[in-house]
Amino acid sequence: MTNAALLSPYSLGALHLPNRVVMAPMTRYRAAEDGTPLPLVAEHYAQRASAGLIVTEGIWPSRRGQSGWRIPGLESARHIEGWRAVTDAVHAAGGRIFAQLMHGGRQGHPLSRIDGSVPAGPSAVPEPGPVHVRDGGKADPVVPRVMTHADIRTALDDYARAAVNAIEAGFDGVELHGANSYLIHQFLADNTNLRQDAYGGTVPGRIRFAAEAVEAVAGAVGAERTALRLSPGNPQFGMEEADPAPVYRALLDAIAGTGLAYLHLTDDDRYPALDDLRPRWPGPLVANVGENREPTTRRAGEEVLRSGRADLVSYGRAFIANPDLPLRFATGAALNTFDAEYLYTHGAEGYTDYPALGGDEAAA
């Protein structure tokens, strides 16, 4: 059984997507210690090239933004070379792929960072502990250093430089990670931004860093190759947003005219972001409705599109377990079962060994 909406093509700028099923970004810890993606990363993403669009796991733009050990980077020539192998494999398989740029901000620990530094964030508010550190251990969180205005400018430059590196590595575009407790989200949220300067306090102050990050990356690689992910009201890692609506409405108003490739927006039971913000966004919108909920089903994705709240739908856990997810949706085939045991390990098991449909099933 097929669905005309979810499996219908879509033009995303110059990219022609064969369907509206997007692979959501998911941290998997399959990088070398220096942040270079391992060879099996290329295989993993190439297996999933039938997605309308792939968004990679979060990638740190510089070691200043590294949030964890064996999370990949886009800072060095070796990183670019490693990611080029990934994009070549995806494109050879007929796919399209954006790199997600993820600055950790307060997220991180000296035991898990290449340079051993204390992370910096908008305010001196640590993440809830304990936190994961190198070699599978745990440690108490550190109090982050408060970012100065010079630190903020450096972070914006890091985003722009990493975006240029991403295009050099063959990515079709970049998605700024403004969600799930990372740096941009930290500037937006109530409890992680206690500043009373130009980057905090009032709503215009809270949204300033996010708007400037969009401006920096769009200026570096073009708005048509720049996207932004937001998760209003998401409580992960101790984030608190008592009333997300005024902040995110203002942010969308500030960036609505920039011509971004898309906005990637997660819905939440505490704040119906899709209902509230879709009318304020004139461009393409990717919806994620599985954050902090049960995994998104085909039916749920179809309903989001039918309602007009989004143009594309991102899938996370379903894409981990089903490299050929669009085909399974098209044929009505059963889905493989997602196994969380290997989510954050470092090898092929639970990463590249999920089976695709067999020949007879695929032909059907």
Side-chain angles (χ1 to χ4, degrees):
M1 175 182 179
T2 63
N3 178 270
L6 194 59
L7 298 177
S8 62
Y10 186 78
S11 294
L12 189 69
L15 295 178
H16 300 288
L17 315 187
N19 57 67
R20 300 174 188 234
V21 184
V22 175
M23 180 178 174
M26 292 168 285
T27 293
R28 301 300 305 276
Y29 293 97
R30 262 73 175 190
E33 292 190 35
D34 73 343
T36 302
L38 297 173
L40 54 78
V41 175
E43 180 183 358
H44 170 76
Y45 284 119
Q47 288 174 343
R48 290 153 179 81
S50 63
L53 177 69
I54 293 171
V55 185
T56 71
E57 65 223 88
I59 306 170
W60 40 270
S62 76
R63 63 191 63 198
R64 287 176 287 270
Q66 184 184 7
S67 61
W69 181 62
R70 297 191 68 162
I71 287 177
L74 248 173
E75 180 182 51
S76 70
R78 190 157 184 260
H79 295 156
I80 294 171
E81 182 182 358
W83 283 115
R84 169 64 74 174
V86 175
T87 61
D88 282 350
V90 169
H91 290 148
R96 299 135 299 276
I97 184 167
F98 270 43
Q100 189 189 68
L101 302 182
M102 183 179 79
H103 191 301
R106 72 169 183 168
Q107 291 265 27
H109 194 283
L111 294 176
S112 297
R113 288 159 68 90
I114 291 172
D115 61 6
S117 64
V118 172
S123 300
V125 180
E127 61 179 310
V131 298
H132 294 281
V133 295
R134 181 173 176 156
D135 294 322
K138 292 188 178 182
D140 291 331
V142 296
V143 177
R145 183 172 57 81
V146 177
M147 295 177 76
T148 65
H149 282 207
D151 291 328
I152 290 172
R153 172 47 53 191
T154 296
L156 295 171
D157 290 343
D158 287 344
Y159 278 131
R161 189 176 303 108
V164 171
N165 289 345
I167 300 305
E168 183 179 345
F171 284 103
D172 298 300
V174 298
E175 177 184 283
L176 279 165
H177 197 351
N180 301 76
S181 84
Y182 295 94
L183 182 60
I184 293 173
H185 194 191
Q186 291 163 27
F187 273 96
L188 296 169
D190 303 346
N191 66 322
T192 49
N193 186 350
L194 308 180
R195 307 173 73 102
Q196 294 300 318
D197 63 0
Y199 289 92
T202 63
V203 167
R206 288 185 179 280
I207 70 169
R208 180 175 175 177
F209 181 78
E212 289 184 349
V214 167
E215 180 182 11
V217 171
V221 300
E224 73 281 0
R225 295 194 288 197
T226 302
L228 175 66
R229 178 177 168 103
L230 299 171
S231 61
N234 189 337
Q236 291 178 347
F237 297 103
M239 304 299 285
E240 296 178 8
E241 295 175 276
D243 187 9
V247 175
Y248 288 90
R249 289 171 184 170
L251 175 57
L252 263 61
D253 289 346
I255 65 173
T258 56
L260 295 186
Y262 62 84
L263 174 69
H264 193 172
L265 191 62
T266 70
D267 212 21
D268 191 86
D269 291 336
R270 289 159 288 272
Y271 169 57
L274 292 174
D275 288 337
D276 188 42
L277 300 177
R278 166 83 261 198
R280 309 181 87 91
W281 185 250
L285 195 150
V286 180
N288 185 286
V289 295
E291 193 78 62
N292 303 319
R293 296 170 173 162
E294 291 298 313
T296 307
T297 63
R298 181 183 65 178
R299 184 182 300 276
E302 293 165 354
E303 175 53 34
V304 170
L305 296 180
R306 277 197 298 266
S307 70
R309 291 177 292 161
D311 303 294
L312 305 107
V313 181
S314 64
Y315 288 80
R317 286 159 286 182
F319 248 126
I320 289 176
N322 300 276
D324 54 353
L325 185 63
L327 179 60
R328 289 175 185 266
F329 283 168
T331 61
L335 300 185
N336 297 324
T337 301
F338 165 66
D339 187 349
E341 180 180 354
Y342 301 103
L343 191 59
Y344 300 130
T345 54
H346 310 303
E349 195 167 11
Y351 190 63
T352 57
D353 60 352
Y354 282 107
L357 291 175
D360 291 343
E361 295 169 299

